[in-house]
Structure formats: structure tokens, C-alpha cells
Amino acid sequence: MKIPKIALPKYSDWGDLIQWKGQENLPGYFPYTAGIYPFKRTGEDPTRMFAGEGGPERTNRRFHYVSAEMPAKRLSTAFDSVTLYGQDPALPPDIYGKIGNAGVSIATLNDAKKLYSGFDLINALTSVSMTINGPAPMLLAFFMNAAIDQNCEKYIEEHQLWDKVEQKLKAQIR
């Protein structure tokens, strides 16, 4: 990793240095406005794309829209109150009208796959954050399984193994 070149002051007077630090700042040093780590990545904007409304397909379209033409995909997922409370959106009548309102509704692994479809979840330039508390282990499991399934499908496609996969699935059905 290359050390970034930073324009350091040419003077050594403590007053001038303190004034310079208050105005300019170095990454990894107080007041941390240039980042908490001294060796930051270069060549990518630290833009976080916050989205979440309706179903996973709608939020996925929004993620693709806001991250179009950006090398780094920074996806910040807002979940609806039904997901935040860990409730099943299919059953309770007390949550009617809250599903997919002010956040995305995620209740299954397939929902998570749809939400992050088209994004390479293991790419170093892809970062996903989630505003979640109680059901965090469940949503983390959905996310991890979506990433695993995504890469299994990529491997199958690269090695043209779809025929073998179909044979295995038909054999399991019998």
C-alpha cells in the first residue's frame, strides 16, 4: 500500500502547527476529519447510498440507480418497522400498512437475494451496512447466505455446470 502524499506545513512553530492541524488535518490524527486511519484507500468516493422502501426489488432498483457509474458500491440498508421488530409480514393484522413503509421489508432469504442482486457482495469495493438491532443475527444470516449463493452461481456459470446441477436436483426429487 502506498503512503498518500500529504502537504505538510513547512514551519515548526507550535502555534502555527496547531492552527494548521485545526484547518487541514491528517488522516489518523485528531480531529479525525480526514478519517481515523492513517492509510486511507484512494480512488474511491466514500459515498454511502442509503435506501429502503417497499419490497426488495424496489430498493434494489434504487441501489442500482444511486450507485450507477461509481466504482465503489456503498449500500446502506434501511429496514421497515416490521423487519426491525422481527415480525412475519404475512400474518399479523396489526402491521397492515407498515410493510415496506419507511424501509425495505425483508422476511426471507429470497428477499435478501433480491435486495442485493447485481452487486458483488464479496468484492472489496462493495460495502453493505444495515440499520438493524433485534433481528440482526437473522438478517446477517440472510446476507451471508445471499453472498454464498451468489458466488456458487458464479462458479457454476464459469465452469458450465448447470447440467450437472439440474441432474442432482432431479435425483433429489425422486
Side-chain angles (χ1 to χ4, degrees):
M1 175 181 264
K2 281 188 172 182
I3 298 173
K5 291 183 181 180
I6 300 168
L8 296 175
K10 304 277 188 231
Y11 34 80
S12 59
D13 180 65
W14 280 102
D16 290 337
L17 288 174
I18 290 172
Q19 183 180 4
W20 178 83
K21 281 188 176 186
Q23 293 172 350
E24 295 296 325
N25 194 2
L26 289 173
Y29 297 94
F30 179 82
Y32 304 107
T33 56
I36 59 170
Y37 300 106
F39 304 111
K40 292 176 65 175
R41 291 184 182 189
T42 58
E44 60 182 74
D45 287 331
T47 308
R48 181 134 322 258
M49 309 302 168
F50 191 72
E53 181 97 26
E57 297 90 347
R58 183 174 176 185
T59 300
N60 178 274
R61 283 193 305 273
R62 179 71 178 156
F63 277 148
H64 281 281
Y65 174 74
V66 295
S67 67
E69 314 239 347
M70 298 186 84
K73 309 299 182 190
R74 304 287 185 239
L75 313 174
S76 186
T77 312
F79 296 97
D80 66 353
S81 62
V82 179
T83 304
L84 288 170
Y85 297 137
Q87 294 179 320
D88 182 358
L91 302 175
D94 64 328
I95 60 173
Y96 181 76
K98 296 178 185 175
I99 301 167
N101 190 1
V104 63
S105 177
I106 301 294
T108 66
L109 174 58
N110 284 334
D111 288 345
K113 287 181 183 181
K114 292 174 191 174
L115 178 62
Y116 298 116
S117 177
F119 294 101
D120 187 358
L121 297 178
I122 65 164
N123 188 324
L125 293 178
T126 302
S127 169
V128 177
S129 69
M130 302 178 198
T131 55
I132 197 74
N133 290 325
M138 173 190 67
L139 285 164
L140 178 61
F142 287 168
F143 176 81
M144 297 298 287
N145 278 284
I148 291 167
D149 286 358
Q150 186 183 78
N151 283 282
C152 287
E153 289 172 7
K154 210 184 297 183
Y155 180 85
I156 291 167
E157 186 69 39
E158 285 174 8
H159 294 88
Q160 300 174 350
L161 300 171
W162 286 113
D163 293 336
K164 290 183 180 181
V165 170
E166 290 295 326
Q167 289 173 358
K168 289 266 189 190
L169 290 173
K170 286 180 184 176
Q172 286 180 348
I173 293 172
R174 294 180 194 164

